[in-house]
Amino acid sequence: MKIVIAPQAFKGSISALEVSKAIQEGVINVFPNSEIILCPVADGGDGTLETLVESSGGSINETTVTGPIGSPVRALWGAMGDQKTAVIEMARTSGLALLTLDERDPLNATTFGLGEIILSALDAGFRDFIIGIGGSATNDAGAGMAQALGIRLLDKTNTEIPVGGAALQNLRTIDISKLDNRILNSDFQVACDVNNPLTGPEGAAAIYGPQKGASKQQIDILDKALSNLSSVIKKDMGKEVSEIPGAGAAGGLGAGIMAFMNGNLRTGVDIVLDKVGLDALLDSADLVITGEGALDFQTVYDKAPIGVAKMAQKKKIPTIAISGMLGKDFHVVHAHGIEAAVSLTNGPMSLEEASNNAYNLIKECAEESLRLISVGMKLNK
């Protein structure tokens, strides 16, 4: 029997690789002679950096960069074991979590630090990039990132505009002559799980501005600034990005990466599953085991277990899921390829107790699940 184990991390408790190892122990206790493939996965959100680095034998690097409001921050980025792929989460350079409520400044917050960390990875020899863009504090459409990479954003007097989203109102010319030429020889895969356009009532400023501290008046300023940027991009670069689904992600960063770096926006889980090569690993498999911390109705919206199950379903391989808890309407996952879902808790316990004992609970849950499969196999003989 060939079994592919492909869970994501149980957030705040145990890494995807450790979940995989725990499930493996449980499987071996029932089917000791089975062929087991470990393939930890992620969905492009929290934990993606650690999962891809840990599962590939890579390393974590640290670079001091410009934070969202100008103060230096120490940001981590990942080098995958292939020594070609850098994994970057923009939230670590320009994220909302880096600021207190009083520090939020959507008019002036910048993605400059994201550009700086990309430069660090380029200097280290990396040319393939996976960039997660959730959790931004910014609304500058990647303008700060572009400036850090050498692009000049000029006003009507040919003077460089300051950083921040509001300054884009005064943009008149985009000069790419000084763009770091290594960008043109690199590939940027952007984990983007929203479909918002750049501007308008469903755009970056209107939908996500309030959570970054923007007032109604500031939202109007930022929306007009993004609209002006879009027009200048079309004029100077010949690219129309404003209506592309996902252009409004992360304060317009989706549009900026497409325009300035020819980036490719995809769902996070698709990027990760391609990078770890899950499709090939599934060949001739008899069973897939996936999982996440909480399985519920939200899981079907491009979360990693569903991505795994759909890929397995195409090859007619059954998938089961192990979860820390089974939440509201979890049964909807059955219509998306997960044929059975089980919770690892085996009695009344607090979240802290479950988290502290996660490895053993996952191992025991996997073992009991496989014992049920073993019984079914005996009954079918």
Side-chain angles (χ1 to χ4, degrees):
M1 177 182 286
K2 177 180 177 180
I3 300 173
V4 176
I5 299 172
Q8 71 177 72
F10 285 28
K11 188 175 180 180
S13 178
I14 182 171
S15 74
L17 182 59
E18 289 301 300
V19 175
S20 300
K21 291 178 178 178
I23 294 173
Q24 180 182 35
E25 284 196 41
V27 170
I28 289 173
N29 288 341
V30 185
F31 295 109
N33 297 319
S34 58
E35 177 188 358
I36 299 174
I37 305 294
L38 302 188
C39 184
V41 297
D43 60 13
D46 291 345
T48 296
L49 188 157
E50 288 82 3
T51 295
L52 289 176
V53 168
E54 192 174 25
S55 64
S56 68
S59 61
I60 299 291
N61 300 282
E62 183 177 271
T63 302
T64 299
V65 300
T66 303
I69 56 172
S71 302
V73 298
R74 297 168 65 184
L76 302 179
W77 60 278
M80 289 188 65
D82 63 5
Q83 292 303 307
K84 296 178 181 179
T85 307
V87 185
I88 296 170
E89 295 176 359
M90 75 87 63
R92 298 178 186 246
T93 67
S94 317
L96 205 56
L98 299 174
L99 305 176
T100 66
L101 284 174
D102 292 338
E103 289 174 328
R104 296 182 183 187
D105 186 5
L107 294 181
N108 299 300
T110 178
T111 52
F112 198 90
L114 175 60
E116 291 176 315
I117 213 165
I118 289 171
L119 286 175
S120 290
L122 289 169
D123 290 343
F126 292 89
R127 296 295 182 269
D128 292 340
F129 290 80
I130 296 173
I131 303 180
I133 61 173
S136 75
T138 59
N139 211 97
D140 73 347
M145 171 196 70
Q147 289 170 309
L149 295 173
I151 291 177
R152 300 180 68 214
L153 303 178
L154 308 172
D155 63 17
K156 63 183 180 181
T157 67
N158 252 13
T159 302
E160 187 92 18
I161 64 171
V163 297
L168 295 172
Q169 296 176 99
N170 300 318
L171 178 66
R172 294 296 180 269
T173 304
I174 297 173
D175 178 4
I176 64 170
S177 63
K178 302 295 184 181
L179 173 66
D180 191 308
N181 59 19
R182 295 173 296 180
I183 295 293
L184 304 177
N185 298 312
S186 300
D187 179 71
F188 294 89
Q189 299 290 316
V190 183
C192 175
D193 294 325
V194 302
N195 293 316
N196 303 78
L198 182 60
T199 60
E202 300 297 321
I207 298 300
Y208 303 109
Q211 69 190 37
K212 301 172 187 181
S215 65
K216 289 183 178 179
Q217 182 181 12
Q218 290 174 328
I219 288 170
D220 185 57
I221 292 171
L222 290 168
D223 192 62
K224 289 178 179 176
L226 292 177
S227 181
N228 182 57
L229 171 66
S230 175
S231 297
V232 180
I233 287 174
K234 185 174 182 179
K235 172 179 70 72
D236 289 351
M237 304 184 72
K239 299 178 180 180
E240 176 55 75
V241 297
S242 63
E243 297 300 321
I244 297 177
L253 181 59
I257 293 180
M258 285 189 289
F260 301 127
M261 300 151 73
N262 293 320
N264 183 23
L265 272 57
R266 302 173 61 199
T267 60
V269 66
D270 287 344
I271 292 174
V272 172
L273 296 188
D274 279 356
K275 180 55 67 172
V276 300
L278 179 63
D279 187 65
L281 296 177
L282 290 174
D283 286 345
S284 73
D286 299 291
L287 176 69
V288 174
I289 305 175
T290 187
E292 68 172 335
L295 204 74
D296 58 24
F297 69 96
Q298 299 180 80
T299 301
V300 303
Y301 297 106
D302 293 321
K303 298 298 184 181
I306 293 298
V308 170
K310 286 182 176 179
M311 192 171 283
Q313 194 174 43
K314 290 179 180 178
K315 295 177 181 283
K316 299 182 179 180
I317 307 166
T319 299
I320 64 174
I322 292 173
S323 177
M325 64 167 286
L326 300 177
K328 182 180 178 182
D329 296 331
F330 75 89
H331 56 273
V332 299
V333 302
H334 300 323
H336 296 267
I338 294 178
E339 299 190 31
V342 290
S343 170
L344 60 85
T345 53
N346 54 22
M349 66 180 69
S350 68
L351 178 60
E352 182 179 7
E353 290 173 317
S355 181
N356 290 340
N357 198 34
Y359 191 97
N360 286 331
L361 289 170
I362 292 167
K363 179 182 71 174
E364 292 169 2
C365 185
E367 179 175 341
E368 293 306 312
S369 298
L370 270 291
R371 288 189 182 280
L372 285 173
I373 290 173
S374 178
V375 170
M377 291 170 64
K378 292 175 182 178
L379 290 173
N380 287 329
K381 284 185 178 179

